[in-house]
Amino acid sequence: QVQLVESGGGLVQAGGSLRLSCAASGRSFSLYVMGWFRQAPGKEREFVGAVSRSGGTTDYADSVKGRFTISRDNAKNTVWLQMNSLKPEDTAVYYCAAGGGSFSPMESSYKYWGQGTQVTVSS
């Protein structure tokens, strides 16, 4: 069982930066692939990026590649999403998720989800 709590969301102007954190409970954090997803109003939830168990491999959606960076610290049971050069279209609720299976952009690969944190980017 893993519980995830996101933080760090807020309101930022276009071009600005935010760093989201996701703190995990439990001792088995390093066993999980960690993903970030987002859901904009009226849209389906979409994959943002993921990081492997060791942190050595990351994958990103094309829409955020080059602007967002995912990292993790297994000793701190934490994963971060650094978001730079934010655009109004990045406005969404951001969720972190933990998956015990393969490294994947699919929601179905992730078993545990946080409650989400709102990111709003003004133009």
Side-chain angles (χ1 to χ4, degrees):
Q1 187 80 9
V2 176
Q3 293 184 327
L4 304 172
V5 179
E6 303 97 335
S7 61
L11 174 64
V12 64
Q13 290 187 333
S17 297
L18 277 176
R19 189 192 197 200
L20 305 184
S21 299
C22 174
S25 65
R27 300 180 180 178
S28 55
F29 179 71
S30 63
L31 299 180
Y32 293 95
V33 171
M34 297 300 297
W36 284 96
F37 292 78
R38 67 185 181 185
Q39 187 168 22
K43 295 186 177 181
E44 294 187 352
R45 189 157 55 186
E46 64 176 2
F47 173 74
V48 173
V51 60
S52 63
R53 293 170 176 82
S54 67
T57 302
T58 53
D59 185 31
Y60 300 95
D62 288 343
S63 58
V64 306
K65 202 168 291 184
R67 300 188 298 122
F68 291 11
T69 302
I70 298 174
S71 59
R72 68 187 293 167
D73 185 334
N74 288 339
K76 295 182 178 179
N77 281 11
T78 303
V79 61
W80 296 275
L81 177 65
Q82 177 67 44
M83 305 185 293
N84 299 328
S85 303
L86 283 161
K87 305 175 181 180
E89 51 263 43
D90 294 319
T91 295
V93 177
Y94 283 72
Y95 300 87
C96 70
S102 59
F103 190 65
S104 170
M106 304 297 293
E107 283 192 46
S108 58
S109 296
Y110 297 87
K111 183 176 182 179
Y112 303 106
W113 293 79
Q115 82 288 349
T117 186
Q118 176 70 47
V119 171
T120 303
V121 184
S122 63
S123 57

